[in-house]
PDB file of all heavy atoms in Angstrom:
ATOM      1  N   MET K 136      -1.227   3.521  24.315  1.00 98.00           N
ATOM      2  CA  MET K 136      -1.115   3.918  22.910  1.00 98.00           C
ATOM      3  C   MET K 136       0.019   4.937  22.812  1.00 98.00           C
ATOM      4  O   MET K 136      -0.200   6.138  22.577  1.00 98.00           O
ATOM      5  CB  MET K 136      -2.443   4.514  22.416  1.00 98.00           C
ATOM      6  CG  MET K 136      -2.499   4.738  20.913  1.00 98.00           C
ATOM      7  SD  MET K 136      -2.285   3.211  20.007  1.00 98.00           S
ATOM      8  CE  MET K 136      -2.538   3.772  18.325  1.00 98.00           C
ATOM      9  N   VAL K 163      -3.233  -4.057  27.384  1.00 98.00           N
ATOM     10  CA  VAL K 163      -3.402  -4.092  25.934  1.00 98.00           C
ATOM     11  C   VAL K 163      -2.583  -2.958  25.331  1.00 98.00           C
ATOM     12  O   VAL K 163      -2.907  -1.780  25.513  1.00 98.00           O
ATOM     13  CB  VAL K 163      -4.889  -3.942  25.540  1.00 98.00           C
ATOM     14  CG1 VAL K 163      -5.034  -4.007  24.021  1.00 98.00           C
ATOM     15  CG2 VAL K 163      -5.730  -5.030  26.198  1.00 98.00           C
ATOM     16  N   ASN K 164      -1.527  -3.307  24.610  1.00 98.00           N
ATOM     17  CA  ASN K 164      -0.699  -2.308  23.951  1.00 98.00           C
ATOM     18  C   ASN K 164      -1.161  -2.188  22.506  1.00 98.00           C
ATOM     19  O   ASN K 164      -1.040  -3.127  21.719  1.00 98.00           O
ATOM     20  CB  ASN K 164       0.776  -2.710  23.998  1.00 98.00           C
ATOM     21  CG  ASN K 164       1.652  -1.719  23.256  1.00 98.00           C
ATOM     22  OD1 ASN K 164       1.277  -0.572  23.042  1.00 98.00           O
ATOM     23  ND2 ASN K 164       2.831  -2.159  22.844  1.00 98.00           N
ATOM     24  N   MET K 165      -1.683  -1.015  22.142  1.00 98.00           N
ATOM     25  CA  MET K 165      -2.289  -0.830  20.828  1.00 98.00           C
ATOM     26  C   MET K 165      -1.393  -0.057  19.861  1.00 98.00           C
ATOM     27  O   MET K 165      -1.806   0.257  18.741  1.00 98.00           O
ATOM     28  CB  MET K 165      -3.648  -0.153  20.975  1.00 98.00           C
ATOM     29  CG  MET K 165      -4.581  -0.909  21.910  1.00 98.00           C
ATOM     30  SD  MET K 165      -6.303  -0.348  21.896  1.00 98.00           S
ATOM     31  CE  MET K 165      -6.859  -0.995  20.307  1.00 98.00           C
ATOM     32  N   ALA K 166      -0.173   0.219  20.277  1.00 97.00           N
ATOM     33  CA  ALA K 166       0.756   0.964  19.436  1.00 97.00           C
ATOM     34  C   ALA K 166       1.547   0.024  18.523  1.00 97.00           C
ATOM     35  O   ALA K 166       1.540  -1.193  18.698  1.00 97.00           O
ATOM     36  CB  ALA K 166       1.710   1.769  20.310  1.00 97.00           C
ATOM     37  N   THR K 167       2.225   0.609  17.559  1.00 97.00           N
ATOM     38  CA  THR K 167       3.100  -0.146  16.666  1.00 97.00           C
ATOM     39  C   THR K 167       4.466  -0.273  17.316  1.00 97.00           C
ATOM     40  O   THR K 167       5.182   0.720  17.471  1.00 97.00           O
ATOM     41  CB  THR K 167       3.231   0.559  15.303  1.00 97.00           C
ATOM     42  OG1 THR K 167       1.930   0.741  14.740  1.00 97.00           O
ATOM     43  CG2 THR K 167       4.083  -0.265  14.353  1.00 97.00           C
ATOM     44  N   CYS K 168       4.824  -1.480  17.703  1.00 97.00           N
ATOM     45  CA  CYS K 168       6.095  -1.736  18.372  1.00 97.00           C
ATOM     46  C   CYS K 168       6.866  -2.824  17.649  1.00 97.00           C
ATOM     47  O   CYS K 168       6.328  -3.514  16.782  1.00 97.00           O
ATOM     48  CB  CYS K 168       5.863  -2.142  19.827  1.00 97.00           C
ATOM     49  SG  CYS K 168       5.228  -0.802  20.855  1.00 97.00           S
ATOM     50  N   VAL K 188      -1.343  -8.209  25.983  1.00 98.00           N
ATOM     51  CA  VAL K 188      -1.974  -8.404  24.681  1.00 98.00           C
ATOM     52  C   VAL K 188      -1.460  -7.326  23.729  1.00 98.00           C
ATOM     53  O   VAL K 188      -1.504  -6.135  24.062  1.00 98.00           O
ATOM     54  CB  VAL K 188      -3.508  -8.311  24.786  1.00 98.00           C
ATOM     55  CG1 VAL K 188      -4.150  -8.336  23.393  1.00 98.00           C
ATOM     56  CG2 VAL K 188      -4.055  -9.454  25.641  1.00 98.00           C
ATOM     57  N   ALA K 189      -0.948  -7.740  22.597  1.00 98.00           N
ATOM     58  CA  ALA K 189      -0.578  -6.790  21.548  1.00 98.00           C
ATOM     59  C   ALA K 189      -1.786  -6.626  20.641  1.00 98.00           C
ATOM     60  O   ALA K 189      -2.306  -7.614  20.111  1.00 98.00           O
ATOM     61  CB  ALA K 189       0.623  -7.289  20.758  1.00 98.00           C
ATOM     62  N   ALA K 190      -2.246  -5.393  20.477  1.00 98.00           N
ATOM     63  CA  ALA K 190      -3.441  -5.137  19.656  1.00 98.00           C
ATOM     64  C   ALA K 190      -3.240  -3.881  18.809  1.00 98.00           C
ATOM     65  O   ALA K 190      -3.969  -2.893  18.955  1.00 98.00           O
ATOM     66  CB  ALA K 190      -4.676  -5.005  20.541  1.00 98.00           C
ATOM     67  N   PRO K 191      -2.237  -3.893  17.924  1.00 98.00           N
ATOM     68  CA  PRO K 191      -2.027  -2.720  17.070  1.00 98.00           C
ATOM     69  C   PRO K 191      -3.213  -2.476  16.158  1.00 98.00           C
ATOM     70  O   PRO K 191      -3.962  -3.406  15.814  1.00 98.00           O
ATOM     71  CB  PRO K 191      -0.761  -3.094  16.276  1.00 98.00           C
ATOM     72  CG  PRO K 191      -0.737  -4.590  16.293  1.00 98.00           C
ATOM     73  CD  PRO K 191      -1.304  -4.981  17.616  1.00 98.00           C
ATOM     74  N   VAL K 192      -3.376  -1.229  15.772  1.00 98.00           N
ATOM     75  CA  VAL K 192      -4.552  -0.836  14.991  1.00 98.00           C
ATOM     76  C   VAL K 192      -4.176  -0.514  13.554  1.00 98.00           C
ATOM     77  O   VAL K 192      -3.075  -0.043  13.267  1.00 98.00           O
ATOM     78  CB  VAL K 192      -5.260   0.376  15.634  1.00 98.00           C
ATOM     79  CG1 VAL K 192      -5.679   0.050  17.058  1.00 98.00           C
ATOM     80  CG2 VAL K 192      -4.351   1.623  15.641  1.00 98.00           C
ATOM     81  N   LEU K 193      -5.109  -0.755  12.659  1.00 97.00           N
ATOM     82  CA  LEU K 193      -4.968  -0.391  11.255  1.00 97.00           C
ATOM     83  C   LEU K 193      -5.923   0.759  10.990  1.00 97.00           C
ATOM     84  O   LEU K 193      -7.137   0.604  11.070  1.00 97.00           O
ATOM     85  CB  LEU K 193      -5.301  -1.587  10.354  1.00 97.00           C
ATOM     86  CG  LEU K 193      -4.595  -2.912  10.677  1.00 97.00           C
ATOM     87  CD1 LEU K 193      -4.993  -3.987   9.671  1.00 97.00           C
ATOM     88  CD2 LEU K 193      -3.091  -2.739  10.716  1.00 97.00           C
ATOM     89  N   GLY K 194      -5.359   1.929  10.711  1.00 96.00           N
ATOM     90  CA  GLY K 194      -6.199   3.102  10.467  1.00 96.00           C
ATOM     91  C   GLY K 194      -5.536   4.373  10.953  1.00 96.00           C
ATOM     92  O   GLY K 194      -4.678   4.345  11.829  1.00 96.00           O
ATOM     93  N   LEU K 204     -11.618   1.466  13.347  1.00 98.00           N
ATOM     94  CA  LEU K 204     -10.324   0.819  13.275  1.00 98.00           C
ATOM     95  C   LEU K 204     -10.463  -0.690  13.092  1.00 98.00           C
ATOM     96  O   LEU K 204     -11.417  -1.306  13.575  1.00 98.00           O
ATOM     97  CB  LEU K 204      -9.531   1.082  14.565  1.00 98.00           C
ATOM     98  CG  LEU K 204      -9.111   2.523  14.831  1.00 98.00           C
ATOM     99  CD1 LEU K 204      -8.619   2.662  16.265  1.00 98.00           C
ATOM    100  CD2 LEU K 204      -8.033   2.968  13.844  1.00 98.00           C
ATOM    101  N   ASN K 205      -9.485  -1.275  12.412  1.00 98.00           N
ATOM    102  CA  ASN K 205      -9.317  -2.712  12.431  1.00 98.00           C
ATOM    103  C   ASN K 205      -8.228  -3.000  13.463  1.00 98.00           C
ATOM    104  O   ASN K 205      -7.174  -2.359  13.447  1.00 98.00           O
ATOM    105  CB  ASN K 205      -8.910  -3.241  11.062  1.00 98.00           C
ATOM    106  CG  ASN K 205     -10.096  -3.402  10.136  1.00 98.00           C
ATOM    107  OD1 ASN K 205     -10.789  -4.411  10.179  1.00 98.00           O
ATOM    108  ND2 ASN K 205     -10.355  -2.389   9.315  1.00 98.00           N
ATOM    109  N   ILE K 206      -8.492  -3.935  14.350  1.00 98.00           N
ATOM    110  CA  ILE K 206      -7.587  -4.197  15.470  1.00 98.00           C
ATOM    111  C   ILE K 206      -7.101  -5.635  15.378  1.00 98.00           C
ATOM    112  O   ILE K 206      -7.904  -6.575  15.327  1.00 98.00           O
ATOM    113  CB  ILE K 206      -8.314  -3.959  16.812  1.00 98.00           C
ATOM    114  CG1 ILE K 206      -8.796  -2.496  16.883  1.00 98.00           C
ATOM    115  CG2 ILE K 206      -7.404  -4.294  17.987  1.00 98.00           C
ATOM    116  CD1 ILE K 206      -9.738  -2.215  18.048  1.00 98.00           C
ATOM    117  N   VAL K 207      -5.783  -5.808  15.338  1.00 98.00           N
ATOM    118  CA  VAL K 207      -5.167  -7.129  15.271  1.00 98.00           C
ATOM    119  C   VAL K 207      -4.698  -7.488  16.675  1.00 98.00           C
ATOM    120  O   VAL K 207      -3.826  -6.809  17.236  1.00 98.00           O
ATOM    121  CB  VAL K 207      -3.981  -7.137  14.288  1.00 98.00           C
ATOM    122  CG1 VAL K 207      -3.399  -8.544  14.180  1.00 98.00           C
ATOM    123  CG2 VAL K 207      -4.417  -6.627  12.912  1.00 98.00           C
ATOM    124  N   ALA K 208      -5.277  -8.526  17.262  1.00 98.00           N
ATOM    125  CA  ALA K 208      -5.012  -8.839  18.668  1.00 98.00           C
ATOM    126  C   ALA K 208      -4.366 -10.210  18.823  1.00 98.00           C
ATOM    127  O   ALA K 208      -4.841 -11.205  18.271  1.00 98.00           O
ATOM    128  CB  ALA K 208      -6.306  -8.790  19.475  1.00 98.00           C
ATOM    129  N   ALA K 209      -3.282 -10.257  19.599  1.00 98.00           N
ATOM    130  CA  ALA K 209      -2.602 -11.521  19.884  1.00 98.00           C
ATOM    131  C   ALA K 209      -2.211 -11.555  21.355  1.00 98.00           C
ATOM    132  O   ALA K 209      -1.785 -10.559  21.931  1.00 98.00           O
ATOM    133  CB  ALA K 209      -1.370 -11.682  18.996  1.00 98.00           C
ATOM    134  N   TRP K 230      -9.320  -8.715  14.808  1.00 98.00           N
ATOM    135  CA  TRP K 230      -8.759  -9.845  14.073  1.00 98.00           C
ATOM    136  C   TRP K 230      -7.847 -10.648  14.998  1.00 98.00           C
ATOM    137  O   TRP K 230      -6.816 -10.137  15.435  1.00 98.00           O
ATOM    138  CB  TRP K 230      -7.954  -9.356  12.877  1.00 98.00           C
ATOM    139  CG  TRP K 230      -8.753  -8.587  11.862  1.00 98.00           C
ATOM    140  CD1 TRP K 230      -9.017  -7.248  11.874  1.00 98.00           C
ATOM    141  CD2 TRP K 230      -9.372  -9.111  10.688  1.00 98.00           C
ATOM    142  NE1 TRP K 230      -9.768  -6.889  10.787  1.00 98.00           N
ATOM    143  CE2 TRP K 230     -10.002  -8.010  10.036  1.00 98.00           C
ATOM    144  CE3 TRP K 230      -9.454 -10.381  10.118  1.00 98.00           C
ATOM    145  CZ2 TRP K 230     -10.705  -8.166   8.843  1.00 98.00           C
ATOM    146  CZ3 TRP K 230     -10.157 -10.535   8.924  1.00 98.00           C
ATOM    147  CH2 TRP K 230     -10.768  -9.439   8.305  1.00 98.00           C
ATOM    148  N   ALA K 236       2.080 -12.741  21.466  1.00 98.00           N
ATOM    149  CA  ALA K 236       1.777 -11.322  21.245  1.00 98.00           C
ATOM    150  C   ALA K 236       2.497 -10.751  20.033  1.00 98.00           C
ATOM    151  O   ALA K 236       1.924  -9.950  19.276  1.00 98.00           O
ATOM    152  CB  ALA K 236       2.126 -10.517  22.496  1.00 98.00           C
ATOM    153  N   LYS K 238       3.037 -11.794  17.205  1.00 98.00           N
ATOM    154  CA  LYS K 238       2.444 -12.061  15.895  1.00 98.00           C
ATOM    155  C   LYS K 238       1.565 -10.899  15.426  1.00 98.00           C
ATOM    156  O   LYS K 238       1.510 -10.595  14.225  1.00 98.00           O
ATOM    157  CB  LYS K 238       1.644 -13.364  15.939  1.00 98.00           C
ATOM    158  CG  LYS K 238       2.522 -14.604  16.070  1.00 98.00           C
ATOM    159  CD  LYS K 238       1.719 -15.887  15.964  1.00 98.00           C
ATOM    160  CE  LYS K 238       2.645 -17.099  16.018  1.00 98.00           C
ATOM    161  NZ  LYS K 238       1.903 -18.372  15.862  1.00 98.00           N
ATOM    162  N   ALA K 239       0.885 -10.247  16.349  1.00 98.00           N
ATOM    163  CA  ALA K 239       0.079  -9.081  15.970  1.00 98.00           C
ATOM    164  C   ALA K 239       0.974  -7.967  15.449  1.00 98.00           C
ATOM    165  O   ALA K 239       0.621  -7.270  14.486  1.00 98.00           O
ATOM    166  CB  ALA K 239      -0.742  -8.593  17.164  1.00 98.00           C
ATOM    167  N   ASN K 240       2.130  -7.794  16.082  1.00 98.00           N
ATOM    168  CA  ASN K 240       3.058  -6.754  15.631  1.00 98.00           C
ATOM    169  C   ASN K 240       3.665  -7.103  14.277  1.00 98.00           C
ATOM    170  O   ASN K 240       3.910  -6.214  13.453  1.00 98.00           O
ATOM    171  CB  ASN K 240       4.149  -6.537  16.671  1.00 98.00           C
ATOM    172  CG  ASN K 240       3.598  -5.971  17.962  1.00 98.00           C
ATOM    173  OD1 ASN K 240       3.514  -6.668  18.969  1.00 98.00           O
ATOM    174  ND2 ASN K 240       3.187  -4.710  17.951  1.00 98.00           N
ATOM    175  N   ALA K 241       3.903  -8.384  14.021  1.00 98.00           N
ATOM    176  CA  ALA K 241       4.418  -8.786  12.714  1.00 98.00           C
ATOM    177  C   ALA K 241       3.418  -8.442  11.616  1.00 98.00           C
ATOM    178  O   ALA K 241       3.792  -7.954  10.540  1.00 98.00           O
ATOM    179  CB  ALA K 241       4.720 -10.287  12.709  1.00 98.00           C
ATOM    180  N   ILE K 242       2.140  -8.676  11.894  1.00 98.00           N
ATOM    181  CA  ILE K 242       1.093  -8.334  10.920  1.00 98.00           C
ATOM    182  C   ILE K 242       1.026  -6.828  10.707  1.00 98.00           C
ATOM    183  O   ILE K 242       0.923  -6.338   9.575  1.00 98.00           O
ATOM    184  CB  ILE K 242      -0.270  -8.886  11.386  1.00 98.00           C
ATOM    185  CG1 ILE K 242      -0.262 -10.415  11.316  1.00 98.00           C
ATOM    186  CG2 ILE K 242      -1.413  -8.313  10.541  1.00 98.00           C
ATOM    187  CD1 ILE K 242      -1.471 -11.068  11.942  1.00 98.00           C
ATOM    188  N   LYS K 243       1.106  -6.074  11.784  1.00 98.00           N
ATOM    189  CA  LYS K 243       1.050  -4.614  11.675  1.00 98.00           C
ATOM    190  C   LYS K 243       2.240  -4.069  10.889  1.00 98.00           C
ATOM    191  O   LYS K 243       2.084  -3.188  10.027  1.00 98.00           O
ATOM    192  CB  LYS K 243       1.014  -4.008  13.082  1.00 98.00           C
ATOM    193  CG  LYS K 243       1.218  -2.498  13.148  1.00 98.00           C
ATOM    194  CD  LYS K 243       0.090  -1.716  12.500  1.00 98.00           C
ATOM    195  CE  LYS K 243       0.262  -0.225  12.771  1.00 98.00           C
ATOM    196  NZ  LYS K 243      -0.781   0.577  12.152  1.00 98.00           N
ATOM    197  N   LEU K 244       3.429  -4.569  11.170  1.00 98.00           N
ATOM    198  CA  LEU K 244       4.615  -4.084  10.467  1.00 98.00           C
ATOM    199  C   LEU K 244       4.561  -4.444   8.992  1.00 98.00           C
ATOM    200  O   LEU K 244       4.933  -3.632   8.131  1.00 98.00           O
ATOM    201  CB  LEU K 244       5.882  -4.649  11.113  1.00 98.00           C
ATOM    202  CG  LEU K 244       6.161  -4.178  12.541  1.00 98.00           C
ATOM    203  CD1 LEU K 244       7.410  -4.853  13.087  1.00 98.00           C
ATOM    204  CD2 LEU K 244       6.298  -2.660  12.605  1.00 98.00           C
TER     205      LEU K 244
END
Side-chain angles (χ1 to χ4, degrees):
M136 190 60 175
V163 181
N164 177 21
M165 305 191 73
T167 304
C168 292
V188 173
V192 302
L193 309 182
L204 294 168
N205 279 276
I206 300 170
V207 183
W230 298 87
K238 290 186 177 182
N240 294 107
I242 291 171
K243 169 66 172 179
L244 294 178

